[in-house]
Amino acid sequence: MIILEVSELTKHFGGLKAVNGVNLRVQRGSIHSIIGPNGAGKTTLFNLITGSIRPMSGTVLFEGQDITGWPPERLARGGVARTFQRTSIFMDLPVLENVMLAIRSREGRSAALWQSHQHEDEDADEARGILASVGLRGREDAKAGMLAHGYQRALDIAIGLALKPRLILMDEPLAGMSRGDRETIASLITLLRDTMGLTIIVVEHDVGMIMRLSDRITVMQHGTVIADAPPEEIRGNEAVRQAYLHGSFAE
Amino acid sequence: MTGATLSERRTRSRGGLIGLAIVALAGIVLPFASAGQPFLLMLASHALIAAILALSLDMLTGNTGLLSFGHAAWFGFGSYVAGLLSKSASSDIVVLSLLTLAATVLVAGVIGAVLVRQIGKTFAILTLALSQIMFAIVFVFSDITGGEDGLQGIPMATFLGMQIVSPTTWYAILLVALLLALAGALHLRRSPLGRAWLAIRENGERARFIGMNVNKLKLMSYVISAGLASLAGVLFVLFNGATSPDLLHWLESGKVLMYVVLGGVGTIFGPVIGAVVFTLAEHYVSTFTDAWLIYFGALFVLIVIVAPGGLFGGAARIAERLSARKSGRRTAQ
Amino acid sequence: MLALSLVLNGIVLGSVLLLFSLGLTLIYGVGRIVNFAHGALFSAGAMAGVWLVASGVPFGLALVVAPVGVGLIGVLIDWAILARIRDRPMVDSLLLTFGLALLITGILYELGGRNVQIMPIPQVLGGVISMGGISLPAYRIFVSILAVALTVALILFLKNSKWGLRVRAANDDPEMGACIGIDRERLMHSVVGVSAALAAASGVAAAPIFTAHAVVGDKILILAFMTVILGGLGSLRGAVVAAYVVGLILVFGEGYFGGQLALMLLFIMVMAMLINWPRGFFGEGRTE
């Protein structure tokens, strides 16, 4: 079953065809990765889907609904969450509060002037549960900024999970991580798919890890899709091999 | 497991209550200490109004990080609206407060809706411009506002049909108003809204991506802040018996900003202390030199360079760290 | 006839505004600083000009000496004060220049700025020029030509000199500027100096029209802020167009409704424009 369908999505910056007529179909409950050399248009595609920038033409359907050009806050409430390449959390606030903010936002209680103890405790319990699921049990009261790098990335994911999304997009979740942290995050991503049935779109540079992690891979070059197949087929794809040889791709 | 947040919440609210108690106590003791010196009580009353005004700016800057360089606009707006209404509608302090508040919410809501959509620098510039425009409006409608002479002859304010005459009663009213405003600010800080504000102040982009309507939340902060500033204006005009365009001048906005910067942005009690200290200091400095603006400006520059967190803000942070260490030890046990 | 005369006066005000706003745009472009003290520097220039002329310095010389003096003060301010907060968050730079505005205003008050000082129009420029039934004081025409000439000179200098190249590089991307070996500190000193000199030059030039006192620059600062917002924060050509738009709106507003109401009108128009075009006339305003 298709959860996200991108059709003929196009965005040019001046003369640069950053994303040019891209089509993409993402299966529900899969890990779908988008890779490609630098400047291939991955990040632009990502930003188009998550509402950071508006496309010039083309459509994005999420669960059959047209979400093209929706602003981020509307997408977040509609079941599409994202994480950031440069970890984006509320550094000065406690870890637990980071997640509780997202829970209250999901429940439409961000602007509430008052909250009952019962709500407060329910939110806190739920937040603890989410934190435990990403391996942050016992760190609830620490300031988010004091966490180690890998844990901050996990918190970023936890904030996304608190929105109870059906689709979560991750912008280079493995970038700038130590080897051990990369393994941890990769297994966390797999876990999210297997236990929660989440659909996850990953934009990544780290090809090795992506091959093991993904159910399907879309390869982009010069703003267009040059291959879209399961990992084993991508491995043997001639066009992809060429793209890697010519691109400044860091393996 | 929920024990930790509950106890955390209790400690936090306890800190606020202790602060409130100290302010109340200091406020109650002063009239006795100043017996026989009516001038001192009057100065203290002005300091209380300044404190409410400072708190109002901290409700904006301290919560969402938006800097207003023209906050006097709302202080002056409140004083003129209440002053004009007191001549025509009612002299009851509560009625005047409510009517002025309604007018402010309306006007600040419309203007704020445009302002909060701008980037920080444009926001800052426009707030300064706004206060200059309000200043200009006083002169456009000189025949009803009194122009340069200001609005004079405000009838004596009443409360439940009784005239408020004695300076001590006034002082008590202002003190209660400040305590109520402080209690409100402390409550907001702990409410979902207050915590959403802090999230926006820290990382507005992330806040959007978790589904917060950032502009709406910022607008709420702006309107609440403008509303409280206008209430300070209501109290000022009724206490003072007159108001003038000086209240809208950018120097007045500069003073309010100074209270907050001096006291520490976002610390709630800091700006209040800043306002009181600064009002007293301004009075005493201006008795022996009229060049106080130089000292004021130099101090402003110095604080921004040396202690961006404010003088009291720095002290508050140290206290917070100490108490955090203490509570950390407690949970460890 | 009134309309035409208002157009001419609008162009005069627009020209002064242009020269003044240019300094604001320059310092914003290179240092990302919104300079709240720019108006105080205008006042400083005006007062210095009046003082020089009153002490027997010819007007033409005062027009050079006062800006140079204020420009040097600008360099001093950057070196001693602004340099302390280079890498701090934007909020600090706003607060700092606001504090500077208070400080400079305070100093000007003590230097006699509480009283309005009149700058006599130099005799050569004293007449009235009539064209087709419309008469305009010759001095106003002189001010417009001077302001436009200085603006053109500055733009040419920015385009053709080594200094201009550095300024433009830093304007496009501060980090890139550092990469190609620009000494950022010295560049900022010079930019703040030039910016202050421009403020002062417009102050002296406008003094015979606006008079001189400690807060004479307040109103022009607000007008210049409206100008840079209309033109898009940091956009040079936006500022050029916006300066004349603001000048014309204000003069026409004053002509038909009175001065203070014109300011109000301008503010409402700026707010209305921001709803649809938050990045100014050419869509070049910075959004960071």
Side-chain angles (χ1 to χ4, degrees), chain B residues 250-270:
Chain B
W250 65 279
L251 285 179
E252 189 67 29
S253 297
K255 275 193 217 165
V256 191
L257 206 52
M258 184 68 173
Y259 303 153
V260 176
V261 170
L262 192 73
V265 174
T267 56
I268 296 181
F269 284 103

Side-chain angles (χ1 to χ4, degrees), chain A residues 52 72-73 76-77 82 84 88-92 97 105 109-110 112-113 117 120 125 128 156 159 163, chain B residues 1-2 5-6 9 187-188 191-193 195-196 199 202-203 205-213 217 220:
Chain A
S52 296
E73 57 269 28
R77 279 184 244 127
R82 70 165 289 184
F84 291 76
S88 187
I89 54 180
F90 304 105
M91 296 282 182
D92 264 349
E97 182 63 30
S105 175
R109 282 193 259 115
S110 283
L113 297 174
H117 285 219
E120 182 82 14
D125 283 342
R128 276 171 221 288
D156 198 344
I159 294 171
L163 300 171
Chain B
M1 278 310 274
T2 54
T5 41
L6 278 178
R9 195 163 53 209
H187 170 76
L188 271 177
S191 74
L193 178 62
R195 285 182 281 171
E202 210 196 305
N203 191 342
E205 198 201 10
R206 191 65 174 112
R208 282 190 80 190
F209 278 98
I210 62 172
M212 287 187 191
N213 188 337
L217 294 169
M220 289 176 80

Side-chain angles (χ1 to χ4, degrees), chain A residues 4-12 19-24 45 48-49 53-62 65-70:
Chain A
L4 187 84
E5 184 167 7
V6 172
S7 317
E8 294 300 322
L9 207 61
T10 300
K11 177 75 185 182
H12 299 175
V19 168
N20 203 14
V22 165
N23 293 299
L24 189 70
L45 178 64
L48 287 170
I49 297 173
I53 51 177
R54 285 168 160 274
M56 292 161 70
S57 61
T59 55
V60 183
L61 298 185
F62 172 64
Q65 189 179 17
D66 190 346
I67 59 161
T68 320
W70 278 22

Side-chain angles (χ1 to χ4, degrees), chain C residues 162-179:
Chain C
K162 217 169 168 185
W163 182 77
L165 178 74
R166 291 184 181 144
V167 167
R168 282 183 290 132
N171 187 28
D172 291 340
D173 183 352
E175 281 167 32
M176 174 97 90
C179 284

